[in-house]
Amino acid sequence: MFVKNLLPALVAIGSVAAQSTCTVSTTTVNSQAEATKLASCRTVKGTVVIGSESGASIDISGPKEITGDLRVLDNGVMQDFSSTSLTTIGGSFQMKNVSSLASVQFSSLTSVKTLEWVSVSRLATLKLGPLTKADEVIISDTFLNTLDSINLKTTKKFNINNNGQLTKFSTQLESLEDDLNIQANGIDLEVDLPNLVWIANMAIANVTKFSVPSLEVVNGSARFDSNYFASFSAPNLTHTEEGDISFVGNGALNNMTFPKLTAIAGGLLIANNTGLGQVTFFPKLETVGGAVKLRGNFTEVDFPKLENVKGAFDVSSTADIKKSCEKLLKYAPKTQNGNGKILGTFTCTANNAKANEDTNDTTSGSGNVDTNGDEKSAAGAGVTFPAALLGLVAVAAFASAL
Ligand SMILES: *[C@@H]1O[C@H](CO)[C@@H](O)[C@H](O)[C@H]1NC(C)=O
Ligand SMILES: *[C@@H]1O[C@H](CO)[C@@H](O)[C@H](O)[C@H]1NC(C)=O
Ligand SMILES: *[C@@H]1O[C@H](CO)[C@@H](O)[C@H](O)[C@H]1NC(C)=O
Ligand SMILES: *[C@@H]1O[C@H](CO)[C@@H](O)[C@H](O)[C@H]1NC(C)=O
Ligand SMILES: *[C@@H]1O[C@H](CO)[C@@H](O)[C@H](O)[C@H]1NC(C)=O
Ligand SMILES: *[C@@H]1O[C@H](CO)[C@@H](O)[C@H](O)[C@H]1NC(C)=O
Ligand SMILES: *[C@@H]1O[C@H](CO)[C@@H](O)[C@H](O)[C@H]1NC(C)=O
Ligand SMILES: *[C@@H]1O[C@H](CO)[C@@H](O)[C@H](O)[C@H]1NC(C)=O
C-alpha cells in the first residue's frame, strides 16, 4: 500500500503539484496506478520501494528527483522499469533478485549516490542518461552486454562481476579512489580504460583484453588473476604508492611491458603465467618496498636497474635459469656475498618442475610474519588485497636477515 503520509502531502499541494516536493519517508509502489500518484511530484523527498507484486511494467515518470533510495527487492514479476524524467537519486538505486526484469530505461538519469544491481539476471536492455555521477557502482549477475549507459569520469568503487554476456567495457574513467573489481564476466570481455590516469586498487580477473594506455599511478595495489590476455602493457605507469603488483595464473600471457615503472611500494608477485618466457620487462625498476616473488616457465630474468628491494627476492622456474640466477646474485644481501641491494633473503632455483604450484603471497625463507610496531607493515595493512601480505612478509624477511 501507498504510505499514508504521501496522501496528505499531495492533498496539501493541490494543483501546483508539478513544481512540488512530496515528502514520504518510505513509500511502497505496488502497481502502475500507485506509481502514477507520484507523477505530480517534482521531488520525492524520501525512499521509493517497488513492491514484489508490482506487476510487469512500472513507469515512474514525473519526478525529477528522489532524495532517498529507489529500491526493488525480491521481485519476480516486473519486466520493464522506466522513467523519462528522473535525473537524480540521492541515495542508492538498488535492485536485488529481480528475476524477470529485462529492460531498464531511465533516459534522464545522470546522478545517483550508489547503483547496486545484483541478481537481475535477465536484464538485457539498459538506457540511462547516461549516468555520469556515482560514488559506487556494483553490477553483478545481469544479462547486459554493454555498460555504455554508465559513463563516469571518476568514482570510488566499481565492481562488475558475473555478467556472462558482457564482452566490452569501455569507459572514460579518469581516476578511481577506492577499488575496481572486474571478474567472472563474459569470457571475451575487453576492458578499455583509455583515460585512466590513477587508480587506488584494482583486481582484474577473467578478462580477454585490458588496456590502460594513460595509467601513471597505482596508489594501492594492482592484481591480475586468471586472465586470458596474451599481452599486458602499462606504457605510462611510473609507480605504485603503497601496494603490490601481482600477476597470477594468466596462462596465455607472453609479453608484458612496463617501460617507465621505477618503484613498487609493496611487493611484486608473478606466478604461474606459464606462457611467459622471460621476465625482462622492468627496464627501469629501481625500488621494491616489499618482496619479489617469481614463479614460472621463464628462461630469463633480468632487473637491470635494481637499487633496493626491502624484502626477499625469490625466483624459481621450471626452466634452466642458472645464468639469470648468477647474474641476479650480485644484488644479494651482504650475508649472501652480494652488494646488498636486496635486503631480504635471495633465492633462485632452476629446473623446478613444481615452480608453478606455488602461487601464494609468502616468500620462502621469510620466517614468521611479525608486524608488531613496524611502520612499513602498518602502512601496508590499509591495503585490502591479499597480495598485501607480500609486503608484510617481506618486512619479516628483512628483519630476519639483519
Ligand atoms: C528472490 O525473489 C523471489 C521472489 O521473486 C523469492 O521467492 C526468492 O526467495 C528470492 N530469493 C532470495 C535468494 O532471496
Ligand atoms: C593517487 O595518486 C595520484 C597521483 O599521485 C594523486 O593525484 C591522487 O590524489 C591519489 N589518490 C588517492 C586516492 O590517494
Ligand atoms: C576467474 O578468475 C578466478 C580468479 O579470480 C579463478 O578462480 C577462476 O577459475 C576464473 N574462471 C575462469 C573460467 O577462468
Ligand atoms: C604518457 O605520459 C606522457 C608524459 O606524461 C604524456 O605526454 C602522454 O600523453 C601519456 N600518454 C597517454 C596515452 O596518456
Ligand atoms: C595455474 O594456472 C592455470 C591456468 O593457466 C590453472 O589452471 C592452475 O590451476 C594454476 N595453478 C595454480 C597452482 O594456481
Ligand atoms: C610486446 O609488446 C610491446 C608493446 O605492447 C611490443 O612493442 C613488443 O613488440 C611485444 N613483444 C613481443 C615479443 O611480442
Ligand atoms: C610449464 O612447465 C610445466 C612444468 O614443467 C609444464 O608442464 C608446462 O607444459 C609448461 N608450460 C609451458 C606453456 O611451457
Ligand atoms: C605458501 O608458500 C610457502 C612457501 O613456499 C609454503 O610453505 C606454504 O605452505 C604456502 N601456503 C599455501 C597456503 O599454499
Side-chain angles (χ1 to χ4, degrees):
M1 274 306 292
F2 218 52
V3 155
K4 290 185 193 85
N5 61 354
L6 178 58
L7 296 173
L10 285 175
V11 170
I13 47 193
S15 58
V16 290
Q19 297 303 317
S20 70
T21 296
C22 304
T23 304
V24 301
S25 62
T26 298
T27 185
T28 303
V29 169
N30 275 312
S31 64
Q32 182 55 47
E34 288 180 356
T36 304
K37 288 187 194 166
L38 292 173
S40 55
C41 312
R42 186 187 166 92
T43 299
V44 177
K45 206 170 165 196
T47 285
V48 176
V49 176
I50 309 299
S52 53
E53 300 301 329
S54 62
S57 184
I58 293 287
D59 178 356
I60 50 170
S61 294
K64 278 190 176 304
E65 184 180 0
I66 293 174
T67 63
D69 299 343
L70 175 58
R71 290 188 214 139
V72 192
L73 306 176
D74 299 325
N75 179 314
V77 296
M78 188 160 73
Q79 294 168 18
D80 298 303
F81 191 24
S82 62
S83 170
T84 53
S85 60
L86 196 66
T87 62
T88 306
I89 297 173
S92 178
F93 187 174
Q94 195 180 56
M95 299 201 285
K96 287 189 175 169
N97 185 25
V98 186
S99 53
S100 300
L101 186 62
S103 165
V104 169
Q105 310 219 31
F106 279 64
S107 54
S108 301
L109 188 66
T110 55
S111 174
V112 302
K113 180 133 196 341
T114 65
L115 185 139
E116 191 183 355
W117 295 350
V118 178
S119 297
V120 192
S121 39
R122 294 208 181 144
L123 180 60
T125 303
L126 174 63
K127 177 145 186 8
L128 304 178
L131 189 72
T132 53
K133 198 166 173 289
D135 280 355
E136 256 185 74
V137 174
I138 299 170
I139 305 222
S140 172
D141 185 14
T142 71
F143 208 73
L144 293 170
N145 64 17
T146 171
L147 296 177
D148 286 354
S149 265
I150 298 173
N151 203 357
L152 309 170
K153 279 207 169 131
T154 186
T155 188
K156 291 188 176 130
K157 291 194 181 184
F158 213 137
N159 187 332
I160 305 170
N161 69 78
N162 292 285
N163 302 287
Q165 301 302 310
L166 193 66
T167 53
K168 178 133 186 148
F169 176 52
S170 178
T171 155
Q172 298 309 303
L173 203 66
E174 292 172 4
S175 63
L176 188 140
E177 276 176 54
D178 203 341
D179 295 329
L180 172 65
N181 280 280
I182 299 180
Q183 72 159 337
N185 297 292
I187 65 163
D188 296 325
L189 180 60
E190 202 178 311
V191 176
D192 275 319
L193 305 167
N195 299 341
L196 186 70
V197 174
W198 61 260
I199 184 163
N201 293 292
M202 62 178 146
I204 309 295
N206 320 104
V207 156
T208 295
K209 267 193 183 164
F210 188 80
S211 153
V212 280
S214 311
L215 183 63
E216 291 175 12
V217 176
V218 173
N219 308 75
S221 291
R223 184 180 175 103
F224 297 87
D225 289 340
S226 308
N227 291 289
Y228 317 118
F229 42 70
S231 67
F232 179 91
S233 173
N236 260 3
L237 181 65
T238 60
H239 65 285
T240 73
E241 291 197 338
E242 281 188 11
D244 308 327
I245 290 184
S246 119
F247 285 83
V248 174
N250 304 284
L253 193 56
N254 63 41
N255 183 17
M256 297 172 87
T257 49
F258 292 91
K260 294 186 180 171
L261 186 70
T262 58
I264 299 173
L268 172 66
L269 172 63
I270 296 181
N272 192 27
N273 307 290
T274 53
L276 203 55
Q278 293 89 28
V279 181
T280 52
F281 37 79
F282 293 111
K284 295 200 170 151
L285 185 61
E286 293 177 4
T287 60
V288 180
V292 174
K293 177 167 172 174
L294 310 176
R295 293 286 183 277
N297 290 43
F298 38 77
T299 54
E300 197 188 345
V301 179
D302 193 20
F303 287 82
K305 291 278 158 56
L306 211 58
E307 283 300 325
N308 187 296
V309 176
K310 295 230 160 52
F313 195 102
D314 178 8
V315 183
S316 187
S317 176
T318 59
D320 184 352
I321 47 159
K322 285 193 200 101
K323 280 211 177 90
S324 293
C325 290
E326 280 161 21
K327 218 172 138 190
L328 291 167
L329 188 60
K330 69 171 183 283
Y331 298 130
K334 299 219 163 106
T335 51
Q336 291 178 273
N337 303 316
N339 60 18
K341 289 184 173 175
I342 294 168
L343 296 169
T345 307
F346 174 79
T347 331
C348 192
T349 55
N351 303 313
N352 170 10
K354 297 189 167 176
N356 287 301
E357 289 171 25
D358 177 9
T359 58
N360 75 23
D361 297 346
T362 53
T363 53
S364 58
S366 59
N368 295 323
V369 179
D370 178 11
T371 60
N372 288 347
D374 190 295
E375 269 178 50
K376 192 69 207 170
S377 310
V383 180
T384 51
F385 292 89
L389 271 178
L390 209 56
L392 303 186
V393 171
V395 171
F398 172 32
S400 67
L402 287 176

